[in-house]
Amino acid sequence: METRGLLKNYGSTKAVAGLDLKVETGQIYGFLGPNGAGKTTTCRILTTLTKPTGGQALVSGFDVVKEPSLAKKGMGLVPQHLNLDPDLTIYENLKLHGMLHGMAGDKRESRIREMLEFTDLWDRKKELAKSLSGGLKRRLMIARALLHEPRVLFLDEPTVGLDAHTRRRMWELISQSHRRGVTIFLTTHYIEEAESLCHRVGIINQGSLIAEDTPQGFLSTT
Ligand code: ADP
Ligand code: ADP
């Protein structure tokens, strides 16, 4: 996954200001920066939800502007804000997602079961999404994002607002997702989160990458 000279202006605000990123396949890449740095905007461009003002972005080899539907097939997204269907059950939320992704019945059902077991939600599959705690909602969002077997998983501030214990459980689930063979791009403003999860960390401020290293590299120079 790669961006070249990526730009996004909102009026006079340069949300993304000429971003050059390279994320190796198979890594967990952490995109670390303060609020307003441009993390969500970058994530939205990479996942085809927002069009850039300029520059280029490739995900799994597909240009997100010129080939959005091809690029989209190979990616999963957990957006920052919860966007489950509150009045559907856990199972129904996944089934709907699978149908929207054109997954055939048998394949869809076996994959739903696999993802519910993976996220430890199988026994709760008949519960309504709106009745779940924040941590369970986030687990369901990961199950949903992985359902169609993406090669790249985008997580926008995956643990914001969670308590320390629930945050640790999410970190475990993210590591386990990575071990299943998915490349992960996650945004965060928690240094600790980047350190414990990521192979490589890019620091973004005012829409530009200001440093990039391994977490260990950052620790040894500071
Ligand atoms: P982060 O995710 O790092 O907090 P964002 O990407 O959300 O940063 O925002 C980067 C900048 O762009 C901020 O100044 C924000 O207010 C602005 N911005 C983001 N989205 C919009 C939008 N839809 N309209 C106008 N300004 C926006
Ligand atoms: P973040 O916490 O990462 O800055 P927000 O919660 O501010 O993200 O953004 C939520 C939604 O509002 C996003 O779609 C974002 O693009 C949009 N947004 C963010 N900042 C602005 C802004 N200044 N004006 C208009 N829309 C914005």
Side-chain angles (χ1 to χ4, degrees):
M1 168 162 68
E2 157 163 36
T3 72
R4 291 185 211 122
L6 200 64
L7 286 174
K8 179 67 184 183
N9 300 333
Y10 288 110
S12 58
T13 304
K14 292 181 177 3
V16 181
L19 188 67
D20 295 306
L21 272 185
K22 207 167 160 68
V23 176
E24 299 297 331
T25 300
Q27 286 198 331
I28 303 183
Y29 188 95
F31 205 40
L32 179 71
N35 280 325
K39 302 182 299 293
T40 295
T41 304
T42 302
C43 227
R44 288 178 58 86
I45 293 171
L46 289 170
T47 54
T48 77
L49 299 174
T50 297
K51 277 219 163 87
T53 309
Q56 202 186 17
L58 300 174
V59 178
S60 308
F62 296 111
D63 188 307
V64 299
V65 176
K66 294 182 186 145
E67 308 162 291
S69 50
L70 288 173
K72 237 183 145 157
K73 270 200 185 120
M75 58 173 78
L77 168 65
V78 177
Q80 183 172 352
H81 298 281
L82 300 170
N83 67 346
L84 298 163
D85 269 288
D87 295 315
L88 296 184
T89 64
I90 289 180
Y91 168 80
E92 288 165 344
N93 266 278
L94 295 183
K95 181 173 176 184
L96 178 63
H97 180 87
M99 290 173 75
L100 291 174
H101 276 77
M103 295 175 79
D106 283 0
K107 170 75 188 168
R108 187 178 67 226
E109 290 306 311
S110 66
R111 186 68 182 168
I112 289 174
R113 179 170 189 134
E114 191 185 344
M115 285 301 104
L116 287 177
E117 286 173 350
F118 173 58
T119 52
D120 223 357
L121 289 171
W122 176 255
D123 292 338
R124 295 174 173 265
K125 61 185 181 296
K126 292 184 178 151
E127 293 179 23
L128 293 178
K130 67 182 171 195
S131 70
L132 304 175
S133 67
L136 291 182
K137 282 179 180 152
R138 295 219 159 247
R139 261 152 64 185
L140 176 54
M141 284 170 68
I142 290 201
R144 186 179 62 178
L146 291 173
L147 189 76
H148 57 289
E149 300 183 75
R151 278 175 286 175
V152 185
L153 177 64
F154 291 88
L155 304 168
D156 193 4
E157 299 267 6
T159 67
V160 80
L162 299 179
D163 62 57
H165 172 75
T166 314
R167 172 168 300 147
R168 281 185 190 286
R169 286 215 58 188
M170 277 304 288
W171 288 353
E172 274 170 38
L173 192 60
I174 293 167
S175 291
Q176 287 162 0
S177 303
H178 171 254
R179 286 199 288 276
R180 296 173 73 97
V182 68
T183 303
I184 296 180
F185 181 89
L186 72 87
T187 77
T188 185
H189 60 266
Y190 299 114
I191 289 171
E192 198 193 350
E193 182 157 289
E195 280 174 10
S196 32
L197 279 177
C198 300
H199 301 106
R200 229 173 149 72
V201 178
I203 298 186
I204 181 176
N205 197 15
Q206 299 188 342
S208 298
L209 197 66
I210 56 170
E212 192 188 73
D213 205 339
T214 59
Q216 297 75 18
F218 279 122
L219 285 176
S220 62
T221 51
T222 50

